[in-house]
Amino acid sequence: MKNKYSFVLIMLLCILLGSVGLTTLYVAKEQAEEEEDFKIVTSFYPMYIAALNIVGDAENVSLQNLSEPQTGCLHDFQMTPKDMKLLSGADVFVINGGGIESFMEEVAETYPELAVVEACSEVEFLEEGIEDSFVAEDEELEASRTGHVHEHEHEENAHAWMSISSYRIMVATIAEQLASLDEAHAEDYILNAQIYDAKLQDLQEEQQELFAMTEGTNVILFHEAYAYVADEYGMNVCYELNLDEERQVSAGEIADVLEAVENDGVTYILAEELYGKEIGTTVEKESDVTVLYLDTLNRGDYEKDSYLNAMHNNIELLKQELIK
Amino acid sequence: MIDWTSWLDYGFMRYALIAVLIITPLFGLMGTMIVNKKMAYFSDALGHSALTGIAVGVVFGVQDTNLSMVVFAVIFALLLNKIGSMNTASTDTIISVFSSCSVAVGLAILSKGGNFSKYSSLLVGDILSITKAEIGYLAVIFVITILFWLFGYNALNAICIHKTLAKSEGIKVKVFENLFAVLVALIVMLSIKWVGILIINALLILPAASARNISVNMREYHLFSLVFAIFSGVLGLMVSYYTNVATGPMIVIIASVIYFATFLYGRNERNK
């Protein structure tokens, strides 16, 4: 009888100690860069790359990104406890702005003290693209039933990093604001931003070389992020289909796309490889339009030049298509 | 070194702790009866019906899906009891039919337009989803369950041992069985969002099953079940916080370890 109770006690103690021990081991491994003076957290990939270039080799500054959403775009991103923890230790939170960070309300409520740098505060957003009635209807329904309004609906198109000129403004904004928040490293930030901006300028010039050839071309977009690309190249957007991870297209929409291709003499469709490939192949088969799979730069490797490289690839892709 | 109290600095973790402290004793209590009555499959089917509950709520445009889930689950549980008592086929067949039907309907509605990914957090649970209102509901159910246990346990146990005998004793078998089913439905529905559909049943069954391994009487059975449930709940919550894994699964892992330990111990004792 007594035996049994002591068994239970010992068993529970063992499990407790075991889990505490294992957890300690695990956490110890995670806690490597706790000792930095100034902690910057970014909301997602393009912000991280921009901040990475601005921070450069500045000492005692740590830079971390929120956990990467599985789905690419931030719309349905859910903060994990780890993200909450990350933010609780942060000095600055760098966000894109324009409503893309749908969790900002929650963050502002939980951490009213946290300084927020909105990269797009100086950027003029494009209007939401051509109204896709199907999406709008669907989203209204969804909003009414879940109480969760899809952030796109009444917001501007916030995918400004897709345009190099806007991205340059964003980099400058982040650098300025970081400099004012962290005076110890202010010079580093401004200097690094200037170096990065020079590289971006080269990239932009490379892009502008194509302008004469692309201006006035009719295109269809499979993601609203490409509205910025189309804008920079002076392309006319005839139809926009907002494909992402949680939407499947209906046959009717494909018919609409094909009709737009037919009627407006569309030459290119700009699409994302991950979500647009299937429909892209279908449309290519049915008509003589070319689908260009451009990187939306919302994920990739965490290298300094990731933005430059990905953007360069996008430009190259278009250039080869134009020369053909 | 880890700061072992830092997890309580966050509002959502405090809510989660309160929810765990309310829900795990309930799981422990209800579990003993579910295991006794061999209803493990029943509660599993209830868990699956949460999908349909949400789907129904979505179709009717109910803002608070908790409400549609609870209403649906209660109807579902009563219907199951009703048809089960008609003795047309064995209970597990009937439960299986109900369970698969409701899952199918739920999946069909929720996956319409390829949107199921939005609900996938329901499968593994999301600790951040606990709200103040839900804790309020849980507290109410806690009180109801305790009252039910105090006044109805003997009757329920009698039914469990021998239905006809219990009836001859003047016990209202139908009423008690339905009440019990409704309570299980309520508890399952209100905790499913953070525990997750896939494993909610484990949480209901494991503490009681572990307790049964080593108990010799009802008092011990309940005591151990309660202790195991609360222990795995609180420890699981803590560990999941520090290691960044989903909470429901972590709790179930700890409860499973307890089950196997008690299983081995119980077997040794019996062989002596």
Side-chain angles (χ1 to χ4, degrees), chain A residues 1 4 78-79 88 246 248, chain B residues 10 114-115 126 128 214 220:
Chain A
M1 186 66 188
K4 181 158 54 190
Q78 286 244 328
M79 302 268 280
S88 77
E246 56 179 36
Q248 260 104 48
Chain B
Y10 304 96
N115 275 343
D126 177 8
L128 291 174
I214 54 170
E220 271 185 23

Side-chain angles (χ1 to χ4, degrees), chain A residues 137-149:
Chain A
E137 190 186 299
D138 206 40
E139 281 180 2
E140 248 164 59
L141 192 75
E142 187 186 298
S144 69
R145 69 195 185 199
T146 56
H148 164 81
V149 181

